[in-house]
């Protein structure tokens, strides 16, 4: 049998089909972001994306390193925290950061970056003291919009 379909021309589309795939106009110029990520490939992709938008980055390979780097650089503008990491997981690292004795520890935005994206996972991250949640694989537009909402 034969099927005839009338489809719109690609040239006729004036906007992208999914606006979420187009990164919003945002600049991270001058921002210092702490990335806590144990997977080297994920860390590389994430830091390159942040640098592309003007940020400077610090990289921790586990939750304990994230706490140490935050103590050394308490003026970081945000922390992107993987949840599942060796040595100390992201939720416990967040709880410990929130208990540190300087004001930035209570106010720095901490964003969960994890493949665990069920409602209960998001709730657990927020209960641990995180401000937001971004599901992996991370979509640049979603991450940038989340960062923009935190600043």
């Amino acid at each position: 049998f034969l099927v005839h379909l009338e489809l719109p021309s690609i040239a006729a589309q004036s906007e992208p089909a999914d606006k979420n795939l187009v990164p919003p106009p945002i600049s991270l110029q001058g921002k210092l972001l702490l990335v806590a990520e144990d997977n080297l490939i994920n860390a590389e992709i994430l830091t390159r994306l942040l640098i592309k938008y003007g940020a400077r980055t610090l990289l921790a390979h586990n939750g304990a390193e994230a706490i140490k780097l935050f103590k050394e650089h308490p003026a970081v503008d945000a922390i992107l925290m993987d949840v599942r990491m060796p040595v100390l997981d992201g939720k416990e690292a967040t709880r410990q950061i929130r208990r540190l004795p300087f004001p930035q520890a209570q106010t720095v935005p901490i964003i969960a970056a994890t493949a665990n994206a069920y409602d209960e996972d998001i709730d657990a991250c927020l209960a641990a003291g995180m401000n937001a949640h971004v599901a992996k694989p991370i979509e640049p537009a979603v991450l940038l919009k989340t960062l923009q909402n935190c600043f």
Side-chain angles (χ1 to χ4, degrees):
F1 63 91
L2 182 62
V3 176
H4 291 278
L5 299 174
E6 290 187 29
L7 300 172
S9 167
I10 293 175
Q13 294 180 358
S14 61
E15 294 184 18
D18 186 352
K19 293 179 185 176
N20 291 333
L21 296 179
V22 178
I26 181 174
S27 172
L28 299 175
Q29 196 67 39
K31 303 286 186 190
L32 177 60
L33 303 178
L34 172 55
V35 176
E37 172 63 65
D38 64 314
N39 182 293
L40 296 178
I41 294 170
N42 289 345
E44 178 74 16
I45 291 168
L46 194 51
T47 55
R48 282 181 185 250
L49 173 69
L50 296 170
I51 290 168
K52 176 182 174 182
Y53 285 91
R56 295 175 296 126
T57 61
L58 299 170
L59 180 60
H61 299 287
N62 61 59
E65 283 183 21
I67 294 167
K68 180 180 180 286
L69 281 172
F70 183 73
K71 286 178 180 178
E72 294 169 1
H73 306 275
V76 298
D77 294 293
I79 301 172
L80 298 172
M81 185 76 75
D82 186 12
V83 173
R84 291 187 178 185
M85 292 184 289
V87 182
L88 190 64
D89 71 32
K91 288 182 280 190
E92 183 57 32
T94 297
R95 286 190 278 275
Q96 289 187 29
I97 287 170
R98 294 296 188 212
R99 289 193 298 261
L100 291 173
F102 39 92
Q104 301 91 325
Q106 285 74 50
T107 60
V108 64
I110 302 177
I111 301 164
T114 179
N116 302 340
Y118 291 111
D119 288 341
E120 58 267 17
D121 298 316
I122 296 168
D123 292 342
C125 290
L126 298 176
M130 296 182 187
N131 301 83
H133 180 280
V134 176
K136 289 181 181 176
I138 293 176
E139 294 182 30
V142 173
L143 175 62
L144 294 171
K145 185 171 178 60
T146 302
L147 283 168
Q148 187 175 31
N149 291 340
C150 286
F151 295 138

